[in-house]
């Protein structure tokens, strides 16, 4: 099994999307640039969702075109529908992502459609992105627990994950959206998913509301998962998941992975600087 782990940075998107104060575009750009100096290979830079739904992300195009691009870094974006994809491609996103859920109520609250309708909506988005040369990631939210429905059955997650990969996504990122997962529920969920899809196409996306994200990463590593989504400074949360905290902090995960003998290629000092800047934005 590989000892390389890909750390996928979320702070500019998942980190900032829930912030009530409107953060100046130049600060968002400075955050992405600081993160790119640390050796991170993938940075979720913007979100091309409806500005009525998430006003904080309305300046995605300005952020995406304002950053200083570093060779070898993929700058990625959320694209919930064709309009979002067109905006993301025009702004130069290297990679895009569709996002669904394993819970019907969360799907309705977050993207205003059922799970089945979301597949109909995503399919042409994935086809078009792939035709334009942009790889597509698929997110599944509420992989252990839903803020509206409670515990989520592992098989529901496996169904959605398989459907997203069959559609043409290169990877599925499994989101513990509200950070309620524990190693037992995460392992049970991964057991169901990994019986349908290979570990190389699965990423872990753990929010740290319950303080168990690091334990969940260790459980996922043991099952062969080698990509994790994290947020510098631990900033963030989802506007449609009440009470949810940020993704587990990038700097904590990089430290944990080094201690466990995994390579990430990330410079902890440069990352520390970016994390301090991320936290300062959150504090206002
Ligand atoms: P809707 O209201 O059903 O969409 O929302 P619509 O097609 O009827 O459009 C409504 C209006 O929005 C129209 O404008 C559209 O043009 C506009 P109007 O005609 O009224 O002036 N619009 C757009 N504008 C710009 N870009 C677009 C776009 N789409 C429509 N892409 C929609 C459906 C999906 C758009 C909406 O529900 C939405 O934007 N939802 C996104 C919510 C969101 O961003 N949530 C947070 C990200 S997901 C997350 O954090 C979880 C994750 O981290 C994993 C985890 O932790 O679990 C990924
Ligand atoms: Mg998230």
């Amino acid at each position: 099994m590989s000892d390389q782990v890909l750390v996928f940075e979320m702070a500019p998107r998942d980190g900032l999307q829930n912030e009530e104060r409107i953060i100046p575009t130049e600060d968002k750009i400075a955050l992405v640039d600081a993160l790119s100096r640390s050796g991170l290979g993938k940075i979720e830079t913007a979100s091309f969702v409806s500005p009525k739904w998430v006003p904080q992300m309305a300046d995605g195009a300005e952020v995406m075109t304002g950053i200083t691009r570093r060779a070898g870094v993929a700058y990625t974006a959320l694209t919930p529908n064709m309009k979002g994809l067109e905006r993301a491609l025009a702004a130069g996103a290297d990679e895009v992502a569709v996002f669904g859920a394993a819970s019907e109520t969360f799907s309705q609250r977050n993207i205003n459609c059922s799970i089945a309708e979301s597949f109909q909506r995503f399919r042409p988005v994935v086809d078009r992105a792939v035709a334009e040369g942009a790889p597509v990631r698929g997110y599944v939210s509420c992989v252990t627990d839903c803020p509206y429905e409670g515990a989520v059955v592992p098989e529901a997650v496996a169904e959605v994950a398989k459907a997203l990969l069959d559609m043409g996504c290169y990877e599925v990122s499994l989101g513990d959206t509200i950070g309620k997962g524990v190693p037992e529920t995460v392992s049970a969920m991964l057991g169901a998913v990994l019986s349908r899809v290979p570990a190389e196409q699965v990423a872990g996306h753990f929010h740290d509301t319950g303080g168990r994200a690091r334990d969940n990463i260790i459980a996922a590593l043991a099952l062969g998962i080698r990509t994790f989504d994290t947020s510098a400074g631990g900033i963030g949360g989802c506007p449609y998941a009440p009470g949810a905290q940020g993704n587990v902090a990038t700097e904590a995960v990089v430290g944990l992975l080094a201690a466990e003998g995994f390579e990430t290629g990330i410079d902890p000092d440069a990352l520390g600087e970016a994390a301090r800047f991320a936290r300062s934005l959150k504090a206002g």
Side-chain angles (χ1 to χ4, degrees):
M1 236 178 248
S2 163
D3 61 357
Q4 296 276 335
V5 169
L6 179 76
V7 176
F8 200 137
E9 178 58 46
M10 293 285 132
R13 194 281 299 172
D14 210 335
L16 296 182
Q17 70 183 7
N18 201 33
E19 193 57 33
E20 269 175 40
R21 175 180 80 94
I22 290 293
I23 294 166
T25 305
E26 56 268 29
D27 285 343
K28 295 178 181 175
I29 292 170
L31 174 61
V32 175
D33 288 346
L35 289 163
S36 73
R37 286 192 284 272
S38 73
L40 284 156
K42 291 196 177 192
I43 303 176
E44 200 151 84
T45 302
S47 180
F48 294 94
V49 298
S50 167
K52 290 184 183 139
W53 284 63
V54 185
Q56 182 65 258
M57 293 283 108
D59 59 353
E62 289 81 2
V63 176
M64 194 57 95
T65 53
I67 54 176
T68 302
R69 283 175 173 266
R70 239 173 207 265
V73 179
Y75 297 93
T76 75
L78 291 191
T79 53
N81 52 19
M82 200 54 95
K83 182 163 189 176
L85 176 66
E86 275 160 12
R87 292 175 59 215
L89 291 174
D94 297 311
E95 183 179 312
V96 298
V98 293
F99 49 103
S103 137
E104 283 293 349
T105 313
F106 188 81
S107 182
Q108 288 290 351
R109 298 283 174 102
N110 195 45
I111 53 173
N112 205 23
C113 65
S114 69
I115 295 170
E117 285 163 345
S118 76
F119 294 159
Q120 301 297 325
R121 192 186 283 172
F122 296 157
R123 210 163 275 121
V125 173
V126 175
D127 286 349
R128 168 85 190 282
V130 170
E132 301 271 347
V136 187
R137 195 177 206 220
Y139 284 97
V140 186
S141 282
C142 303
V143 295
T144 58
D145 299 87
C146 168
Y148 309 106
E149 295 183 13
V152 171
V153 293
E155 197 46 45
V157 183
E159 285 282 321
V160 178
K162 179 84 172 71
L164 290 171
L165 291 174
D166 286 349
M167 213 179 273
C169 293
Y170 74 89
E171 171 179 274
V172 283
S173 174
L174 305 179
D176 177 10
T177 316
I178 54 173
K180 256 195 143 183
V182 294
E184 293 73 22
T185 54
V186 166
S187 297
M189 177 277 294
L190 284 174
V193 172
L194 295 176
S195 70
R196 310 276 298 271
V197 308
E200 298 73 45
Q201 287 184 287
V202 174
H205 178 106
F206 299 108
H207 285 263
D208 204 18
T209 317
R212 301 301 302 276
R214 286 211 264 175
D215 300 334
N216 293 337
I217 287 177
I218 291 170
L221 282 167
L223 293 172
I225 307 305
R226 293 290 180 269
T227 300
F228 295 99
D229 301 352
T230 63
S231 176
I235 64 169
C238 174
Y240 295 96
Q245 300 290 309
N247 289 104
V248 58
T250 311
E251 57 277 21
V253 173
V254 168
L256 168 75
L257 290 168
E260 299 278 324
F262 292 98
E263 297 279 334
T264 62
I266 295 166
D267 168 15
D269 295 334
L271 176 62
E273 245 175 70
R276 270 190 297 282
F277 185 60
R279 279 194 299 269
S280 78
L281 294 181
K282 186 84 187 158

